[in-house]
Amino acid sequence: MMSITITAFERSPDGGRGLARDTRVRWALEEVGQPYKVRLISFRAMKEPAHLALHPFGKIPTYEEGDLALFETGAIVFHIAERHSGLLPNDPHARARAITWMFAAVNTVEPPILELANAKLLEGDKAWNKERLPLVEERVRTPMGQLSRHLGDGDWLDGAFSAGDLMMVHVLLRLRSSGILDEYPNLAAYVARGEARPAYKRAFAAQLAVYKASH
Ligand SMILES: N[C@@H](CCC(=O)N[C@@H](CS)C(=O)NCC(=O)O)C(=O)O
């Protein structure tokens, strides 16, 4: 197995909460027991040609393994899950459903959560923000209510823990500070179950060490 290098923020703006997207890649690598190296990168360097050659949109994380370079956490986690056991079931239908949940996390659940984060973080000072915020929050609550009903009293989205849960839990973590996650006790418990996994704890500790060293 070739050595794996990912990129992460040199100075994460998330306060050490593990919200930056490298955390989900670290978590996947920890779940399958793959060691990895981290190259820390500044906001300026992220937009420069060397990084753009790895990530056309100038973001983190990237993933390098031999002469393979990937970006987009969904694709990176899928790549890891396909090559190592532990993140996708063997049964073909269960596997396809787990992959479906990975897409649901990044394609259905994450966009309104990001929109809410941006509305608060970047547009808080705009005159129209007060009026718009409730609309943005409703767009988060609709899929949250639907996800909550689907999960019911299950531990994970479809039987055993999978890469679909890994992506979903990490996407939901960004909602915690808004208070909206706690409106859905089974989803709050689901996220806590994810955070309690030893692999998540190792990933969280690793990103926190970077944060602490830089602040
Ligand atoms: N859809 C991408 C999103 C990547 C992304 O937005 N990364 C953020 C950090 S969590 C970033 O690099 N932001 C800095 C910037 O856009 O300048 C993925 O899942 O990999």
PDB file of all heavy atoms in Angstrom, residues 3-20:
ATOM      1  N   SER A   3       1.936   5.228   0.430  1.00  0.00           N
ATOM      2  CA  SER A   3       1.634   6.130   1.541  1.00  0.00           C
ATOM      3  C   SER A   3       0.617   7.183   1.102  1.00  0.00           C
ATOM      4  O   SER A   3       0.555   7.569  -0.059  1.00  0.00           O
ATOM      5  CB  SER A   3       2.916   6.754   2.078  1.00  0.00           C
ATOM      6  OG  SER A   3       3.249   7.875   1.313  1.00  0.00           O
ATOM      7  N   ILE A   4      -0.187   7.580   2.052  1.00  0.00           N
ATOM      8  CA  ILE A   4      -1.305   8.478   1.798  1.00  0.00           C
ATOM      9  C   ILE A   4      -0.995   9.840   2.423  1.00  0.00           C
ATOM     10  O   ILE A   4      -0.569   9.915   3.576  1.00  0.00           O
ATOM     11  CB  ILE A   4      -2.604   7.905   2.414  1.00  0.00           C
ATOM     12  CG1 ILE A   4      -2.991   6.599   1.705  1.00  0.00           C
ATOM     13  CG2 ILE A   4      -3.737   8.931   2.373  1.00  0.00           C
ATOM     14  CD1 ILE A   4      -4.061   5.790   2.418  1.00  0.00           C
ATOM     15  N   THR A   5      -1.211  10.902   1.649  1.00  0.00           N
ATOM     16  CA  THR A   5      -1.052  12.261   2.176  1.00  0.00           C
ATOM     17  C   THR A   5      -2.323  13.045   1.915  1.00  0.00           C
ATOM     18  O   THR A   5      -2.822  13.066   0.779  1.00  0.00           O
ATOM     19  CB  THR A   5       0.140  12.995   1.514  1.00  0.00           C
ATOM     20  OG1 THR A   5       1.328  12.225   1.726  1.00  0.00           O
ATOM     21  CG2 THR A   5       0.332  14.383   2.103  1.00  0.00           C
ATOM     22  N   ILE A   6      -2.846  13.681   2.950  1.00  0.00           N
ATOM     23  CA  ILE A   6      -4.005  14.554   2.749  1.00  0.00           C
ATOM     24  C   ILE A   6      -3.587  15.994   3.057  1.00  0.00           C
ATOM     25  O   ILE A   6      -2.547  16.223   3.687  1.00  0.00           O
ATOM     26  CB  ILE A   6      -5.203  14.145   3.639  1.00  0.00           C
ATOM     27  CG1 ILE A   6      -4.909  14.379   5.124  1.00  0.00           C
ATOM     28  CG2 ILE A   6      -5.574  12.681   3.388  1.00  0.00           C
ATOM     29  CD1 ILE A   6      -6.145  14.261   6.014  1.00  0.00           C
ATOM     30  N   THR A   7      -4.389  16.957   2.602  1.00  0.00           N
ATOM     31  CA  THR A   7      -4.139  18.342   2.991  1.00  0.00           C
ATOM     32  C   THR A   7      -5.212  18.781   3.975  1.00  0.00           C
ATOM     33  O   THR A   7      -6.335  18.270   3.980  1.00  0.00           O
ATOM     34  CB  THR A   7      -4.135  19.299   1.779  1.00  0.00           C
ATOM     35  OG1 THR A   7      -5.308  19.069   0.984  1.00  0.00           O
ATOM     36  CG2 THR A   7      -2.899  19.110   0.927  1.00  0.00           C
ATOM     37  N   ALA A   8      -4.829  19.746   4.822  1.00  0.00           N
ATOM     38  CA  ALA A   8      -5.750  20.315   5.818  1.00  0.00           C
ATOM     39  C   ALA A   8      -5.356  21.768   6.038  1.00  0.00           C
ATOM     40  O   ALA A   8      -4.251  22.188   5.677  1.00  0.00           O
ATOM     41  CB  ALA A   8      -5.662  19.532   7.123  1.00  0.00           C
ATOM     42  N   PHE A   9      -6.270  22.526   6.631  1.00  0.00           N
ATOM     43  CA  PHE A   9      -5.995  23.937   6.945  1.00  0.00           C
ATOM     44  C   PHE A   9      -4.830  24.053   7.903  1.00  0.00           C
ATOM     45  O   PHE A   9      -4.797  23.376   8.937  1.00  0.00           O
ATOM     46  CB  PHE A   9      -7.191  24.579   7.666  1.00  0.00           C
ATOM     47  CG  PHE A   9      -8.358  24.940   6.804  1.00  0.00           C
ATOM     48  CD1 PHE A   9      -9.651  24.712   7.261  1.00  0.00           C
ATOM     49  CD2 PHE A   9      -8.193  25.559   5.569  1.00  0.00           C
ATOM     50  CE1 PHE A   9     -10.765  25.070   6.506  1.00  0.00           C
ATOM     51  CE2 PHE A   9      -9.297  25.926   4.812  1.00  0.00           C
ATOM     52  CZ  PHE A   9     -10.581  25.681   5.277  1.00  0.00           C
ATOM     53  N   GLU A  10      -3.911  24.976   7.587  1.00  0.00           N
ATOM     54  CA  GLU A  10      -2.856  25.322   8.535  1.00  0.00           C
ATOM     55  C   GLU A  10      -3.483  25.986   9.767  1.00  0.00           C
ATOM     56  O   GLU A  10      -3.098  25.720  10.896  1.00  0.00           O
ATOM     57  CB  GLU A  10      -1.903  26.298   7.832  1.00  0.00           C
ATOM     58  CG  GLU A  10      -0.627  26.600   8.492  1.00  0.00           C
ATOM     59  CD  GLU A  10       0.195  27.503   7.586  1.00  0.00           C
ATOM     60  OE1 GLU A  10      -0.130  28.698   7.466  1.00  0.00           O
ATOM     61  OE2 GLU A  10       1.146  26.993   6.964  1.00  0.00           O
ATOM     62  N   ARG A  11      -4.465  26.840   9.514  1.00  0.00           N
ATOM     63  CA  ARG A  11      -5.204  27.497  10.604  1.00  0.00           C
ATOM     64  C   ARG A  11      -6.688  27.344  10.329  1.00  0.00           C
ATOM     65  O   ARG A  11      -7.282  28.137   9.592  1.00  0.00           O
ATOM     66  CB  ARG A  11      -4.847  28.994  10.665  1.00  0.00           C
ATOM     67  CG  ARG A  11      -3.419  29.272  11.133  1.00  0.00           C
ATOM     68  CD  ARG A  11      -3.128  30.763  11.057  1.00  0.00           C
ATOM     69  NE  ARG A  11      -3.851  31.508  12.069  1.00  0.00           N
ATOM     70  CZ  ARG A  11      -3.407  31.695  13.316  1.00  0.00           C
ATOM     71  NH1 ARG A  11      -2.253  31.185  13.687  1.00  0.00           N
ATOM     72  NH2 ARG A  11      -4.114  32.378  14.189  1.00  0.00           N
ATOM     73  N   SER A  12      -7.297  26.357  10.942  1.00  0.00           N
ATOM     74  CA  SER A  12      -8.710  26.113  10.689  1.00  0.00           C
ATOM     75  C   SER A  12      -9.556  27.188  11.358  1.00  0.00           C
ATOM     76  O   SER A  12      -9.333  27.532  12.514  1.00  0.00           O
ATOM     77  CB  SER A  12      -9.121  24.738  11.203  1.00  0.00           C
ATOM     78  OG  SER A  12     -10.502  24.551  10.970  1.00  0.00           O
ATOM     79  N   PRO A  13     -10.545  27.724  10.625  1.00  0.00           N
ATOM     80  CA  PRO A  13     -11.409  28.749  11.223  1.00  0.00           C
ATOM     81  C   PRO A  13     -12.514  28.156  12.113  1.00  0.00           C
ATOM     82  O   PRO A  13     -13.368  28.895  12.590  1.00  0.00           O
ATOM     83  CB  PRO A  13     -12.007  29.448   9.990  1.00  0.00           C
ATOM     84  CG  PRO A  13     -11.944  28.446   8.899  1.00  0.00           C
ATOM     85  CD  PRO A  13     -10.853  27.463   9.222  1.00  0.00           C
ATOM     86  N   ASP A  14     -12.487  26.872  12.360  1.00  0.00           N
ATOM     87  CA  ASP A  14     -13.631  26.233  13.035  1.00  0.00           C
ATOM     88  C   ASP A  14     -13.498  26.147  14.559  1.00  0.00           C
ATOM     89  O   ASP A  14     -14.355  25.552  15.222  1.00  0.00           O
ATOM     90  CB  ASP A  14     -13.870  24.833  12.460  1.00  0.00           C
ATOM     91  CG  ASP A  14     -12.871  23.822  12.999  1.00  0.00           C
ATOM     92  OD1 ASP A  14     -11.774  24.239  13.451  1.00  0.00           O
ATOM     93  OD2 ASP A  14     -13.186  22.632  12.996  1.00  0.00           O
ATOM     94  N   GLY A  15     -12.424  26.745  15.107  1.00  0.00           N
ATOM     95  CA  GLY A  15     -12.264  26.723  16.559  1.00  0.00           C
ATOM     96  C   GLY A  15     -11.873  25.349  17.099  1.00  0.00           C
ATOM     97  O   GLY A  15     -12.074  25.070  18.278  1.00  0.00           O
ATOM     98  N   GLY A  16     -11.364  24.489  16.256  1.00  0.00           N
ATOM     99  CA  GLY A  16     -10.929  23.165  16.713  1.00  0.00           C
ATOM    100  C   GLY A  16     -12.066  22.165  16.877  1.00  0.00           C
ATOM    101  O   GLY A  16     -11.908  21.126  17.513  1.00  0.00           O
ATOM    102  N   ARG A  17     -13.233  22.494  16.280  1.00  0.00           N
ATOM    103  CA  ARG A  17     -14.406  21.627  16.475  1.00  0.00           C
ATOM    104  C   ARG A  17     -14.469  20.445  15.506  1.00  0.00           C
ATOM    105  O   ARG A  17     -15.431  19.680  15.525  1.00  0.00           O
ATOM    106  CB  ARG A  17     -15.691  22.457  16.345  1.00  0.00           C
ATOM    107  CG  ARG A  17     -15.905  23.403  17.528  1.00  0.00           C
ATOM    108  CD  ARG A  17     -17.143  24.256  17.326  1.00  0.00           C
ATOM    109  NE  ARG A  17     -17.011  25.162  16.192  1.00  0.00           N
ATOM    110  CZ  ARG A  17     -18.027  25.756  15.567  1.00  0.00           C
ATOM    111  NH1 ARG A  17     -19.274  25.501  15.933  1.00  0.00           N
ATOM    112  NH2 ARG A  17     -17.811  26.576  14.562  1.00  0.00           N
ATOM    113  N   GLY A  18     -13.502  20.339  14.626  1.00  0.00           N
ATOM    114  CA  GLY A  18     -13.487  19.194  13.703  1.00  0.00           C
ATOM    115  C   GLY A  18     -14.453  19.346  12.551  1.00  0.00           C
ATOM    116  O   GLY A  18     -14.847  18.362  11.921  1.00  0.00           O
ATOM    117  N   LEU A  19     -14.867  20.593  12.266  1.00  0.00           N
ATOM    118  CA  LEU A  19     -15.846  20.800  11.203  1.00  0.00           C
ATOM    119  C   LEU A  19     -15.220  20.880   9.814  1.00  0.00           C
ATOM    120  O   LEU A  19     -15.907  20.689   8.816  1.00  0.00           O
ATOM    121  CB  LEU A  19     -16.659  22.081  11.472  1.00  0.00           C
ATOM    122  CG  LEU A  19     -17.426  22.098  12.801  1.00  0.00           C
ATOM    123  CD1 LEU A  19     -18.237  23.376  12.924  1.00  0.00           C
ATOM    124  CD2 LEU A  19     -18.324  20.871  12.920  1.00  0.00           C
ATOM    125  N   ALA A  20     -13.922  21.174   9.733  1.00  0.00           N
ATOM    126  CA  ALA A  20     -13.286  21.237   8.424  1.00  0.00           C
ATOM    127  C   ALA A  20     -13.331  19.849   7.786  1.00  0.00           C
ATOM    128  O   ALA A  20     -13.318  18.824   8.476  1.00  0.00           O
ATOM    129  CB  ALA A  20     -11.854  21.748   8.545  1.00  0.00           C
TER     130      ALA A  20
END
